[in-house]
Amino acid sequence: MTYDIFITGLIIIAQILAVVVPVLISVAFLVYAERKVLALIQLRRGPNIVGPFGILQSFADALKLITKENIIPSGSNKIVFILAPIITMVLSLAGWAVIPFAPGWVVSDINVGIMYLFAVSSLGVYGIIMAGWASNSQYPFLGALRSAAQMVSYEVSIGFVIITVLLCVGSLNLSKIVLAQQTVWFAIPLLPMFIIFFISALAETNRLPFDLPEDESTLVAGFFTEYSSASFVLFFLGEYASMILMSSMTVILFLGGWLPPFDIYPLNVVPGVIWFTVKVIFILFLFIWVRGTFPRYRYDQLMRLGWKVFLPFSLFWVVATSGFLVYFDMLPN
Amino acid sequence: MEIDGSKKLLKIFISIENIDRMVLYSLTFYLFSSVAVLSALMVISAKNPVHSVLFLILSFVNASGLFVLLGAEFLAMILVVVYVGAVAVLFLFVVMMLDINFVRLREGFLQYLPFGALLGIVLVIELGILFLTDRSSNIYNNQTPLQPIVNEVENTKMIGQILYTEYFYLFQICGIILLVAMIGSITLTLRDKGGVKRQNIDSQNTVDASTAIEKKKVNIGEGI
């Protein structure tokens, strides 16, 4: 009996590692890719010293940061200060438990998968708020307040976008959401929702042009101003891992997950996980492209966009989609 | 791997056929419930109000874990999304901004203690009566330890089917009550002070060179 528990425990740990380790490695290469793409946009060369084409730059940076001294400000609330980056990191990895990379390639295929992802991504704000408050310093606190308001606002429209997709699928299970896109990817019939989701994902992950919580031109480094060394690394990893998570969510909801674009010969022999990866990389490239192209939004404009443009439009689209599905009797099951 | 089935969050437990599942259920139940109760105690005993809110969040998360154990995964996720993800964030937001004098906050403790204790006692008595009288209820009769009821229909679907048919009017009335509360709080807090500069996006977008720039002929030595 104890032997069985041991074996099952090992299998669970192996499954977790099989997801977490590739995610962390892809974070390292995402940081490298971001620096390289931004450099190309700005006609620079980017990292090119460490390793061939500078490909090991992220690992060098991580090593440098981890070996530095971890400074905890004397006026800070120490327990919350240390907990904040850990929570950010854990939450950005927790979401990966339900992501289906290919048919059957999922750690936990729960039937409320999309709700779970939504819940985990909405918890991400706690790391930021706790960091800002515990630092006991003005800039991080302002960053935390901005982030709280921003993430709550954009979550509302993300929720409506998810509802629209669910109306077309009839299930909250992520694998079923992917399988429902066998005829056509939802990005085509629900194109406006796809765009809204992508922009809200930018706001949800605090990426440019919505990175007001860390806004270096007004808030030094925003909520992680006081962080150094390993705790900074945790924030950094957490932020990029949640960026990849949001891209995977976009791919699953709108770009057909592991499905090939057309179910024809040379395309459908490619393994599903390759298609999934290619699509996620495409969305991540869009994230970086947007960063290199658009100026930062002003805070009131950000709020206006969330509450006065996205919210009414996505609400209207939910009503329109359900009306359409009922009228043409196309509701799933 | 199969996709159908209802209790995927419990897949780990179900896949372990050979070991006593009940032990794992009980262990997880006691873990979640003890942390929930302890953090609820910390909510009222923590000196710092921000810590109180953080413990409240921990309590919510553990309550959602208990819902998962009961097989009510939809309720569990809704609890996290609505209470932890939105309500508690705003709550934390407000508590962090308040300039609270911690010493003065403690002063009223003894004054409110009798009233609080009375409320607690009433609640305990009510729960006791429920357990003692309602002998037909599942809570009383169910001798087996907590375990999910595995249904054919997902509980998300079941909630939808009941909520939007049998309880449709009650559901709509709830919505209207919330709407009224929302409008009320907006009218109470929205004040137009006047003299506030606001950006008119439409008029700003329609600006072009002909309206934004004015050409003037300036005579030398005179200025405008």
Side-chain angles (χ1 to χ4, degrees):
Chain A
M1 181 180 147
T2 43
Y3 181 73
D4 283 333
I5 295 180
F6 183 68
I7 293 291
T8 324
L10 271 188
I11 290 173
I12 292 171
I13 290 170
Q15 279 181 325
I16 293 170
L17 286 180
V19 174
V20 167
V21 171
V23 166
L24 291 180
I25 292 172
S26 48
V27 165
F29 286 108
L30 174 61
V31 175
Y32 169 75
E34 173 162 40
R35 294 176 67 177
K36 213 68 180 167
V37 171
L38 284 179
L40 287 172
I41 290 174
Q42 296 161 357
L43 300 179
R44 294 183 286 114
R45 297 178 79 180
N48 59 354
I49 303 296
V50 190
F53 307 104
I55 204 160
L56 300 173
Q57 183 67 48
S58 310
F59 297 99
D61 286 345
L63 262 179
K64 181 200 78 177
L65 279 166
I66 288 169
T67 49
K68 279 189 165 188
E69 184 191 354
N70 196 1
I71 300 163
I72 298 173
S74 56
S76 67
N77 191 315
K78 289 186 185 54
I79 297 171
V80 182
F81 187 83
I82 295 169
L83 268 180
I86 299 175
I87 287 182
T88 307
M89 184 68 199
V90 167
L91 285 174
S92 62
L93 292 179
W96 289 96
V98 295
I99 297 282
F101 298 94
W105 286 35
V106 47
V107 176
S108 180
D109 199 14
I110 58 175
N111 61 3
V112 286
I114 191 71
M115 288 283 294
Y116 174 81
L117 268 186
F118 187 54
V120 167
S121 70
S122 69
L123 292 186
V125 68
Y126 280 111
I128 295 174
I129 294 190
M130 284 165 74
W133 178 77
S135 297
N136 195 14
S137 162
Q138 281 82 357
Y139 290 130
F141 189 59
L142 278 174
L145 291 184
R146 284 182 178 186
S147 165
Q150 171 180 335
M151 288 177 87
V152 170
S153 312
Y154 279 84
E155 237 157 58
V156 182
S157 48
I158 285 192
F160 281 124
V161 173
I162 289 177
I163 290 175
T164 321
V165 172
L166 293 184
L167 281 171
C168 305
V169 178
S171 171
L172 278 76
N173 181 294
L174 289 171
S175 305
K176 280 187 185 165
I177 291 174
V178 172
L179 289 175
Q181 303 180 55
Q182 266 166 336
T183 41
V184 61
W185 294 356
F186 287 142
I188 295 162
L190 301 174
L191 184 66
M193 287 322 225
F194 174 51
I195 294 165
I196 286 187
F197 188 84
F198 177 70
I199 297 173
S200 303
L202 288 176
E204 189 82 358
T205 49
N206 297 323
R207 290 283 300 176
L208 272 154
F210 306 116
D211 70 335
L212 288 142
E214 41 183 286
D215 196 356
E216 77 276 352
S217 53
T218 56
L219 295 183
V220 191
F223 61 90
F224 55 70
T225 307
E226 304 290 345
Y227 281 86
S228 56
S229 166
S231 49
F232 174 78
V233 172
L234 284 183
F235 264 124
F236 202 76
L237 282 177
E239 218 161 83
Y240 278 81
S242 60
M243 217 170 112
I244 308 179
L245 183 67
M246 284 308 268
S247 311
S248 317
M249 211 166 143
T250 318
V251 166
I252 288 166
L253 286 176
F254 291 103
L255 297 178
W258 65 74
L259 298 170
F262 302 102
D263 198 11
I264 49 173
Y265 167 64
L267 294 177
N268 59 18
V269 290
V270 179
V273 68
I274 305 257
W275 281 119
F276 187 82
T277 317
V278 167
K279 290 170 190 174
V280 170
I281 290 171
F282 171 69
I283 298 286
L284 286 173
F285 176 73
L286 288 184
F287 270 72
I288 299 167
W289 192 5
V290 165
R291 176 175 180 182
T293 310
F294 289 106
R296 187 177 284 129
Y297 259 59
R298 213 172 57 203
Y299 198 68
D300 61 323
Q301 292 170 334
L302 172 88
M303 283 297 163
R304 176 183 166 274
L305 186 70
W307 288 106
K308 293 186 177 172
V309 181
F310 283 180
L311 178 63
F313 185 77
S314 52
L315 187 56
F316 163 76
W317 202 269
V318 169
V319 175
T321 310
S322 40
F324 180 86
L325 290 174
V326 169
Y327 186 79
F328 290 100
D329 204 17
M330 283 161 67
L331 272 177
N333 49 31
Chain B
M1 186 178 294
E2 55 155 0
I3 293 160
D4 286 310
S6 38
K7 301 295 158 295
K8 286 302 176 192
L9 271 180
L10 294 163
K11 208 183 93 226
I12 294 165
F13 297 130
I14 290 164
S15 64
I16 307 166
E17 300 287 354
N18 299 330
I19 63 161
D20 196 356
R21 235 185 279 162
M22 293 306 151
V23 176
L24 268 183
Y25 277 131
S26 313
L27 280 180
T28 344
F29 170 77
Y30 285 116
L31 176 74
F32 282 137
S33 51
S34 55
V35 175
V37 170
L38 283 180
S39 52
L41 269 177
M42 289 304 288
V43 173
I44 52 172
S45 58
K47 286 212 169 70
N48 191 331
V50 174
H51 290 176
S52 290
V53 180
L54 291 176
F55 276 116
L56 184 67
I57 293 159
L58 185 61
S59 185
F60 279 149
V61 173
N62 280 286
S64 109
L66 287 176
F67 272 127
V68 173
L69 275 188
L70 281 170
E73 71 271 2
F74 183 73
L75 280 183
M77 293 303 145
I78 283 289
L79 184 71
V80 174
V81 169
V82 175
Y83 285 93
V84 184
V87 175
V89 171
L90 297 178
F91 198 31
L92 196 58
F93 196 100
V94 172
V95 170
M96 279 184 348
M97 303 262 274
L98 289 178
D99 190 21
I100 299 170
N101 187 336
F102 299 138
V103 182
R104 275 186 55 203
L105 207 65
R106 292 280 120 188
E107 277 174 5
F109 183 71
L110 278 179
Q111 192 187 338
Y112 295 117
L113 184 66
F115 187 65
L118 185 71
L119 282 183
I121 291 167
V122 168
L123 188 66
V124 168
I125 292 173
E126 280 177 350
L127 283 175
I129 292 171
L130 184 78
F131 269 92
L132 292 177
T133 55
D134 193 12
R135 282 171 184 279
S136 63
S137 76
N138 283 331
I139 307 165
Y140 190 80
N141 281 334
N142 199 352
Q143 294 299 319
T144 52
L146 273 179
Q147 62 167 311
I149 316 123
V150 181
N151 300 310
E152 292 299 311
V153 192
E154 295 173 12
N155 62 41
T156 315
K157 241 171 224 170
M158 282 164 72
I159 289 173
Q161 278 163 0
I162 290 179
L163 201 60
Y164 293 100
T165 51
E166 233 174 286
Y167 298 103
F168 181 74
Y169 290 110
L170 289 174
F171 183 68
Q172 294 296 324
I173 288 168
C174 288
I176 287 171
I177 291 171
L178 286 175
L179 182 70
V180 170
M182 195 174 85
I183 293 172
S185 55
I186 290 172
T187 33
L188 282 175
T189 50
L190 188 71
R191 269 170 287 177
D192 199 6
K193 284 181 194 136
V196 179
K197 284 191 178 174
R198 285 209 174 81
Q199 184 183 26
N200 189 341
I201 301 285
D202 293 327
S203 68
Q204 199 167 352
N205 280 342
T206 49
V207 166
D208 59 2
S210 64
T211 53
I213 302 171
E214 205 178 338
K215 276 187 186 170
K216 288 231 167 127
K217 189 90 179 167
V218 182
N219 293 328
I220 295 168
E222 286 178 16
I224 298 170

